[in-house]
Amino acid sequence: MSSLCPPGACAPKSPQSWDGPVALYYGPDFGAPPCPEAAPMFVFEGWPEPAPIPCETCSCDPPLGTCSPPTTWTVSAGPCSDLGVNTNFDAPTNWDGSCTANTSIQEGKTCGGVPCVGSLTVSPPMIEEQPCTPHGNGDPIPGPAHFTAGDAFGPFGRACTGAPWPACEQEEEKVCVPKPPSFETCIMREGDEPCPEGWPIKHLLYGEVNDQRECTACTCGAPSGGSCTVFAALHEDTACSTLRGSLVITTADPTLCTDLSPSVGLAAKSATLLTYEPGTCAPEGGQAVGDLVLLDARTFCCLDAPAN
């Protein structure tokens, strides 16, 4: 207490275009004190801008998938450089790569007066992958806030006055402002303004805070980047015991063509999976969306910490 102001303390008069001084409570909304007897008139109450809402960090499990052997096998009468007449040598529907004599071509068979077998074109293997399973890590996803007041345990401000304040004894350029417990001595102004000299502690409050922000759910993009390698084999016999030729093909390859010895027979074929590397899915979601509406801004500039 000041001897020049027995009820409280001497404070400078508010600068031009500022209102006050006022007594400001700034602390938890829950249990905030009412205007004290020394400053009984309510002036303003509000809340600071809420902090950004915490959203989860999204991730995706690897996809579950399979690698299917090539299904399109085309035999041409000419070499890869000049294919000529084509003969279907496709694998059966839903083929698992096991030995098959489907669409076999007899040795010496001719197409347009030349041996049917001159080259072989094989499509790449196919990957089929299921959607990835998303996961959220970290903070839980909050629902929409939908409040006009802030968190009950978050910061809150209430300004009160008893003005006109009397002048301090022997210091007429100052006014006698009470110092009730839990209140600061402040000046105030509409909008977001810098504090004038001598009033160093700033609180920016809003009379209306309407927070409609929420976090988007975690999802996963389509799988991509998977690869597999298949050993494709041609056989002289229907039991696939005698190898006629082979090639290694991957999902990254275009359709491959390989030259064969003319007039050979192609009795059967088989395909064996060598490697399969699953793709990945890009995580999506975990983003804050929605509006944060802040209205009726007031700047409070205070002399010191609240009285205890």
Side-chain angles (χ1 to χ4, degrees):
M1 296 297 182
S2 168
S3 60
L4 302 179
C5 177
C10 289
K13 294 180 181 179
S14 61
Q16 186 177 6
S17 73
W18 289 79
D19 297 322
V22 297
L24 175 70
Y25 165 80
Y26 185 79
D29 195 344
F30 181 77
C35 287
E37 290 183 7
M41 292 181 289
F42 169 79
V43 176
F44 179 84
E45 65 182 16
W47 300 262
E49 179 179 352
I53 62 171
C55 294
E56 294 181 306
T57 299
C58 298
S59 61
C60 296
D61 287 342
L64 298 176
T66 57
C67 178
S68 301
T71 56
T72 303
W73 301 58
T74 303
V75 171
S76 300
C80 292
S81 58
D82 185 15
L83 297 177
V85 179
N86 292 332
T87 300
N88 179 23
F89 191 55
D90 285 350
T93 303
N94 299 321
W95 184 42
D96 62 2
S98 58
C99 180
T100 178
N102 184 65
T103 61
S104 60
I105 300 175
Q106 295 179 346
E107 184 175 355
K109 183 179 180 180
T110 61
C111 295
V114 298
C116 290
V117 178
S119 60
L120 172 68
T121 302
V122 184
S123 65
M126 299 292 294
I127 292 179
E128 294 184 2
E129 293 180 322
Q130 300 297 315
C132 296
T133 300
H135 294 282
N137 308 300
D139 296 301
I141 297 178
H146 297 300
F147 63 67
T148 53
D151 181 354
F153 296 96
F156 163 77
R158 173 174 289 144
C160 307
T161 186
W165 306 115
C168 282
E169 297 179 10
Q170 302 178 18
E171 292 193 34
E172 295 185 359
E173 75 281 0
K174 294 184 179 181
V175 291
C176 182
V177 180
K179 294 282 288 183
S182 302
F183 282 80
E184 304 173 59
T185 300
C186 310
I187 55 176
M188 68 177 188
R189 186 175 178 181
E190 291 185 3
D192 182 0
E193 301 290 342
C195 286
E197 185 177 356
W199 301 86
I201 302 174
K202 178 177 178 178
H203 301 296
L204 179 61
L205 302 178
Y206 297 89
E208 181 179 345
V209 177
N210 191 352
D211 193 346
Q212 299 294 328
R213 298 172 297 177
E214 58 185 327
C215 296
T216 56
C218 289
T219 59
C220 296
S224 63
S227 65
C228 69
T229 304
V230 169
F231 177 79
L234 303 171
H235 302 278
E236 293 183 7
D237 61 308
T238 57
C240 295
S241 59
T242 304
L243 186 67
R244 169 71 74 182
S246 65
L247 65 162
V248 175
I249 51 178
T250 73
T251 49
D253 294 326
T255 299
L256 291 182
C257 181
T258 183
D259 290 333
L260 300 174
S261 298
S263 76
V264 299
L266 301 178
K269 54 184 164 291
S270 63
T272 304
L273 176 65
L274 299 178
T275 63
Y276 167 55
E277 293 292 335
T280 58
C281 296
E284 301 171 354
Q287 303 294 322
V289 296
D291 295 327
L292 172 61
V293 179
L294 303 172
L295 301 175
D296 194 12
R298 300 291 177 93
T299 298
F300 289 85
C301 297
C302 307
L303 286 176
D304 49 28
N308 295 321

